[in-house]
Amino acid sequence: MPKTRLFLSAAALALALGAGFTSSAALAQGKVLKFVSWQKDERGVGDWWASVIKEFEATHPGVKIEWTKVERGAYADTMTTLFAGGKPPDIVHLASFEFQKFADNGWLDPLDGYVKDAKLDMKGWAGQDTCVWNKQTVCTMMLYFGNIFAYNEDLLKKEGIEVPKNYAEFLAAARKLTKDLNGDGIVDQFGTGHETKGGGGQYMSEMMNYTLDAGGRWTNDAGKVTIDTPQMVEGLSRWKTIVKDSLTPRDLAAGEVRQMFADGKIALKSDGPWLWPIIQKGKAKDQIKLGMVPFNPPMGGSSNVLGIAADAPKENKKLVWDFIQIATSDKFQASYATLGASPPPSPRADTSAASKDTPHFDLLVRATRTAAEAKVDRIPKGLELSFNEFAKMVMEESQRMIIQDLDPKVVAATMQKKAEALQKQ
């Protein structure tokens, strides 16, 4: 989306959402909390959010939650417009790689006092350390994940291909499984599938399946940029091969790619736990099996967070905290495992029902732990505040590499210089 259109759409939403923001006294009469999210229509996790909202409204008679969807690609810009304009949503839902700027601007209410008063035990809560900014807890982590590997067993058997166990086998399989089925010169079946349309954060996450396996990291533990390395060059080369050789469909959003896989038009897919509910409603659901990704370590990391707008009226803040307490309760952490078909961040959640409903639940836990032990995250240390700019830069340089057929070694050097410049801003 062009920047002008993006700004206009963000501004329009800001006006629409801001219309309901008045004094705390008026809010007490209207009792409406604003909640903006990109996950509203997502199967599984969207159903879970709806159940949390239903519980909140049932336990808070007269209070309603106005739930608005914003597409992921426009999300950060839209939320920035809302906050900068003094009309933020009460319930703040952000990706874990973008909340840092909001916190640094003082837009997120510190939660330590709420946690202490509620005696909420966050010990062992997956990814919660990420929510600490300037020594204050400013959010609650809602998901840390590890990618799993989904493959269409029927398509592999038809070609006599074993399930890939490493990148070389994966690449060979993806090439063999990419086909023009009707001879019209157009690929109808793809070896694998990645989102290549949308925001830089998701684009970068897709790439990291290959850069991580090649041993590359954007920065080291001290926050120093480490892109211009042989490992990252190899990872970029792998990504270029997958996209340029059309082993994945191009210019599709994540939801479109996942649906293609679920319908049997893509053979191999590395993705998070949210893929399973989509598979269950696809045409090829009976053909698809799951296993550990043929990459080491698996892509993964923190996903999204909940917080409270610092400028929200005091009465609203109390209500939002009640909402967060419901979302983080043992009951709803257990239902998150069931509806979202993914490990919840709470170490106390009873996931026995999820294990019965989701046969591969132990696999999800294993993938999550493997990613966590390898300290995998989409947020490079030292680039938190400039993450959106960094991710956009990575996407643009990667697209240029593919379109102009540039040497990955040259691209890595360019990314290194631009990332270092972002750190100095």
Side-chain angles (χ1 to χ4, degrees):
M1 179 184 290
K3 289 184 178 179
T4 301
R5 284 184 58 199
L6 181 61
F7 177 80
L8 288 174
S9 63
L13 180 65
L15 290 172
L17 290 174
F21 283 80
T22 55
S23 68
S24 58
L27 181 62
Q29 296 174 15
K31 299 205 183 285
V32 175
L33 297 182
K34 305 291 186 177
F35 178 30
V36 180
S37 174
W38 67 94
Q39 294 182 329
K40 184 175 182 180
D41 297 332
E42 289 188 18
R43 293 171 182 167
V45 68
D47 298 325
W48 180 78
W49 282 119
S51 72
V52 175
I53 291 172
K54 182 178 180 180
E55 176 78 4
F56 175 87
E57 291 181 342
T59 55
H60 295 74
V63 182
K64 296 294 181 183
I65 291 180
E66 186 174 300
W67 192 13
T68 306
K69 178 180 178 179
V70 173
E71 294 295 339
R72 182 60 249 172
Y75 201 81
D77 290 307
T78 300
M79 291 293 277
T80 298
T81 299
L82 291 171
F83 274 90
K87 303 295 184 181
D90 300 278
I91 303 170
V92 182
H93 189 211
L94 294 166
S96 59
F97 52 75
E98 66 195 8
F99 82 85
Q100 293 85 356
K101 271 194 172 181
F102 292 80
D104 206 56
N105 281 328
W107 289 342
L108 300 181
D109 211 34
L111 301 183
D112 296 290
Y114 295 99
V115 173
K116 182 179 179 180
D117 291 344
K119 297 181 180 179
L120 181 61
D121 183 8
M122 302 297 287
K123 184 178 180 180
W125 196 274
Q128 185 59 25
D129 287 348
T130 303
C131 277
V132 176
W133 188 256
N134 290 335
K135 299 181 179 180
Q136 290 184 315
T137 300
V138 295
C139 59
T140 54
M141 186 62 62
M142 300 311 297
L143 175 64
Y144 183 96
F145 70 96
N147 272 7
I148 54 173
F149 188 50
Y151 57 92
N152 190 307
E153 188 176 50
D154 286 13
L155 295 181
L156 266 66
K157 285 183 176 179
K158 190 180 295 184
E159 299 296 331
I161 301 173
E162 296 292 327
V163 179
K165 294 294 191 294
N166 53 49
Y167 171 72
E169 293 178 1
F170 173 86
L171 178 60
R175 288 194 184 283
K176 198 169 183 179
L177 290 161
T178 299
K179 290 179 171 292
D180 168 14
L181 298 175
N182 57 15
D184 63 356
I186 300 174
V187 175
D188 310 291
Q189 175 183 294
F190 294 89
T192 191
H194 296 288
E195 176 185 9
T196 53
K197 174 185 178 181
Q202 182 63 31
Y203 188 97
M204 198 176 93
S205 296
E206 302 282 3
M207 288 181 61
M208 286 175 64
N209 286 284
Y210 306 99
T211 58
L212 286 169
D213 185 65
R217 299 280 178 137
W218 305 112
T219 63
N220 61 19
D221 291 340
K224 181 180 179 182
V225 180
T226 54
I227 303 176
D228 192 7
T229 63
Q231 293 84 359
M232 282 299 297
V233 171
E234 171 62 21
L236 290 171
S237 179
R238 293 180 183 184
W239 176 250
K240 179 183 178 183
T241 296
I242 295 294
V243 180
K244 189 170 181 61
D245 291 0
S246 296
L247 304 183
T248 175
R250 298 198 202 185
D251 300 322
L252 294 180
E256 295 173 301
V257 175
R258 288 166 184 149
Q259 194 60 56
M260 284 184 67
F261 175 75
D263 288 339
K265 296 179 181 179
I266 292 173
L268 312 169
K269 186 86 176 83
S270 172
D271 209 338
W274 45 82
L275 181 63
W276 180 250
I278 298 172
I279 291 172
Q280 295 313 295
K281 296 185 179 181
K283 297 176 182 178
K285 68 175 184 177
D286 296 330
Q287 304 169 20
I288 295 173
K289 307 295 182 185
L290 302 178
M292 285 295 286
V293 293
F295 312 123
N296 184 36
M299 169 55 197
S302 56
S303 175
N304 61 96
V305 304
L306 269 184
I308 303 174
D311 288 343
K314 185 176 180 180
E315 180 183 354
N316 291 33
K317 291 181 180 181
K318 173 61 170 64
L319 291 170
V320 175
W321 177 248
D322 288 350
F323 180 86
I324 292 175
Q325 283 192 286
I326 291 172
T328 56
S329 68
D330 291 351
K331 172 184 174 181
F332 278 89
Q333 284 295 290
S335 69
Y336 184 90
T338 305
L339 289 174
S342 61
S346 172
R348 302 182 303 275
D350 180 0
T351 59
S352 56
S355 296
K356 292 178 181 178
D357 294 345
T358 308
H360 64 281
F361 200 80
D362 289 345
L363 172 67
L364 297 176
V365 173
R366 180 184 170 195
T368 297
R369 288 177 178 172
T370 303
E373 288 171 2
K375 297 181 179 180
V376 174
D377 209 335
R378 296 176 291 176
I379 312 166
K381 186 171 290 187
L383 286 166
E384 294 94 342
L385 290 178
S386 55
F387 178 80
N388 285 327
E389 293 85 350
F390 172 71
K392 189 177 295 185
M393 178 274 290
V394 168
M395 179 176 69
E396 290 173 350
E397 294 303 324
S398 299
Q399 290 174 329
R400 188 174 293 114
M401 171 180 69
I402 293 163
I403 295 170
Q404 299 179 12
D405 195 20
L406 301 178
D407 185 343
K409 187 173 183 179
V410 174
V411 175
T414 300
M415 287 183 178
Q416 175 83 21
K417 291 179 181 178
K418 291 191 174 184
E420 289 176 342
L422 284 173
Q423 279 190 327
K424 295 175 182 177
Q425 289 181 0

